[in-house]
Amino acid sequence: MSFLEATRYNVDRAAKALDLSPWQVLELNTPRRELKVELNLRRADGTYSTFVGFRVQHDNARGPMKGGLRYDPRVDPDEVNALASLMTWKTAVMGIPYGGAKGGINCDPRLLSRDELQRLTRDFTDELADFIGPKTDIPAPDMGTNAETMGWIVDQYSKYHGWSPGVITGKPISLGGSHGRTAATGRGCLFALLNVLSDRGDSIEGKSIAIQGFGNVGSWAARLMSEAGGKVVAVSDVTGGLRNPEGLDVNALCDYVDKTRGVQGFKGGEDFSGDELLTSECEILVPAAMESVITKDNAEGISATIIIEGANGPTTPEADEILRKKGVTIVPDCYANGGGVTVSYFEWVQNLQQFSWTEERVNLELRSVMDRAWADLKAQAGESEDLRLAAFKLALGRVLEATNLRR
């Protein structure tokens, strides 16, 4: 089952539970607009390369469309469609006034110089300039992009429309970015975990945690969960895995990764194959890398009793069923990693107001949104432990309500 098929499978499950008509399901699954652009780049050595860029705008019933831009060789129409759809459901679950979109360029940013990346980004912005905007579609960073990339985009877009910081989020602070945005997705994962544990009358203190992916989301989740009292016993990234049953020194590891660009070789733990991370001995598992990594082939071997989905779509439907039967609590991505889009929303609000919030206020507001969304999710779930089904039912209901009210 492809990533797009898996996403639509979850929509179909929720639609069936809500007794929606085939027409309503078709409407929910069909994006409003799909853009595909060709980008020709003159390389530093004088040769030319052609890259393909995408932007899928899925739904705007609840507000402007919102979603990241990723630069990765795996970017294709199906992936972008699935991710755009997930953004629609995520913003609805979080209760923020956005729809969903997603985009990116099929490229490997590690093989491009900074100058080449900037020119490619500005060309991409030229192609999107008539289709994005503060009240239309607001991109953000994702895999392979960062605050600097967003700075190039806001500058290029503003050449056509005047200074418009609200066109994009995840920008540098000096260009209208928000305090707390860099850590927001990882912090949201922490708040999601704390809410699960609190409902059980439990705490994070001493809980063993394994984190797959040590980029922005995974590294901040590790840092914040460790500071809150958790014990990060294993992490992995593209270089491999690192484990220490007694707990890793996360701050020292983050400093090491900043210098070496990989977790392997850190002296505070034992290197191991990153493929083993998901089945590592732990109480809490945080997949924070790519989609479709937890499958029917490895689900039985997962020892964690709680999974916090830091990545988008990390669990396939087949694995989902296996894990639920094992009694594993899966906190779905459209809630668990909602901290990023929530603080992006705060950044957009600050840009529209031309007023900057303190980091303390951002974090307090994020906790408030995460707590409210958790209460809504639990109320939708009732006695069921199927939080993914509850999240999709909640999201579909909210999108349909807005759609019908606008007709």
Side-chain angles (χ1 to χ4, degrees):
M1 186 181 295
S2 71
F3 183 31
L4 180 59
E5 289 171 337
T7 303
R8 289 182 173 173
Y9 171 86
N10 287 314
V11 171
D12 290 344
R13 282 185 72 218
K16 183 176 181 181
L18 294 170
D19 195 27
L20 303 185
S21 70
W23 163 248
Q24 288 173 311
V25 177
L26 179 63
E27 187 176 30
L28 288 167
N29 276 325
T30 305
R32 293 183 61 84
R33 180 184 289 124
E34 298 180 63
L35 303 173
K36 178 182 177 182
V37 300
E38 183 180 282
L39 306 167
N40 298 312
L41 178 69
R42 189 174 189 272
R43 307 297 295 273
D45 61 4
T47 61
Y48 283 85
S49 296
T50 297
F51 301 93
V52 179
F54 303 93
R55 187 70 178 172
V56 172
Q57 297 171 330
H58 181 259
D59 190 274
N60 65 351
R62 301 182 63 256
M65 292 166 283
K66 187 81 182 78
L69 293 171
R70 61 173 53 182
Y71 291 2
D72 188 86
R74 290 161 290 196
V75 169
D76 64 26
D78 279 359
E79 181 190 57
V80 178
N81 261 286
L83 291 167
S85 169
L86 283 174
M87 284 303 301
T88 296
W89 317 131
K90 185 185 302 183
T91 55
V93 168
M94 299 308 296
I96 54 179
Y98 280 147
K102 206 74 173 188
I105 301 174
N106 185 293
C107 70
D108 188 341
R110 295 169 298 179
L111 303 181
L112 298 172
S113 69
R114 179 181 179 276
D115 176 67
E116 289 170 336
L117 280 171
Q118 178 171 183
R119 287 188 286 114
L120 186 64
T121 298
R122 289 181 181 274
D123 287 349
F124 191 32
T125 306
D126 288 344
E127 298 295 334
L128 296 183
D130 290 336
F131 301 97
I132 61 175
K135 296 181 180 179
T136 306
D137 178 9
I138 305 140
D142 199 286
M143 184 182 304
T145 61
N146 55 25
E148 183 177 50
T149 319
M150 302 303 106
W152 297 332
I153 292 174
V154 71
D155 179 67
Q156 191 69 16
Y157 178 87
S158 295
K159 291 177 181 178
Y160 297 95
H161 300 280
W163 180 237
S164 308
V167 69
I168 205 153
T169 59
K171 304 178 295 293
I173 298 294
S174 298
L175 294 179
S178 175
H179 295 288
R181 175 61 185 87
T182 303
T185 309
R187 193 179 299 277
C189 289
L190 168 66
F191 291 157
L193 174 58
L194 294 179
N195 282 330
V196 173
L197 293 171
S198 176
D199 273 9
R200 299 180 174 187
D202 203 351
S203 77
I204 194 175
E205 192 67 37
K207 292 287 188 298
S208 57
I209 303 166
I211 299 177
Q212 185 205 37
F214 210 71
N216 176 267
V217 178
S219 62
W220 274 108
R223 192 176 308 178
L224 295 168
M225 289 177 182
S226 178
E227 289 175 2
K231 183 171 64 172
V232 178
V233 297
V235 298
S236 69
D237 64 9
V238 293
T239 67
L242 182 75
R243 61 188 169 201
N244 184 341
E246 302 304 314
L248 295 162
D249 183 337
V250 175
N251 286 330
L253 176 59
C254 288
D255 290 340
Y256 175 83
V257 171
D258 283 342
K259 296 174 184 175
T260 66
R261 301 300 173 191
V263 301
Q264 282 213 322
F266 179 67
K267 299 301 182 185
E270 170 197 3
D271 288 342
F272 72 103
S273 169
D275 294 338
E276 302 172 32
L277 186 285
L278 295 170
T279 53
S280 294
E281 192 65 34
C282 63
E283 295 166 279
I284 297 153
L285 174 64
V286 184
M290 286 291 294
E291 62 268 10
S292 305
V293 295
I294 300 177
T295 69
K296 62 182 180 181
D297 297 323
N298 58 24
E300 286 288 0
I302 289 175
S303 64
T305 57
I306 298 173
I307 296 176
I308 306 291
E309 292 189 336
N312 291 314
T315 310
T316 66
E318 298 93 341
D320 216 29
E321 185 174 348
I322 293 169
L323 291 166
R324 286 201 310 273
K325 288 180 179 177
K326 289 177 60 177
V328 178
T329 297
I330 307 169
V331 184
D333 52 350
C334 49
Y335 169 70
N337 69 29
V341 71
T342 300
V343 176
S344 278
Y345 166 60
F346 297 161
E347 181 178 331
W348 177 71
V349 168
Q350 292 170 75
N351 293 157
L352 296 182
Q353 294 177 334
Q354 299 184 51
F355 183 81
S356 179
W357 297 1
T358 64
E359 185 169 355
E360 180 183 22
R361 178 179 177 183
V362 169
N363 293 339
L364 285 172
E365 295 282 0
L366 173 58
R367 183 64 191 267
S368 176
V369 171
M370 293 294 297
D371 288 352
R372 184 185 67 229
W374 177 249
D376 292 345
L377 185 55
K378 289 293 290 182
Q380 179 70 63
E383 297 299 315
S384 170
E385 288 298 317
D386 192 342
L387 294 175
R388 193 181 314 280
L389 177 60
F392 274 84
K393 287 170 64 179
L394 180 63
L396 266 60
R398 286 175 171 174
V399 172
L400 279 173
E401 179 183 16
T403 301
N404 291 333
L405 286 170
R406 293 182 64 169
R407 286 196 168 114

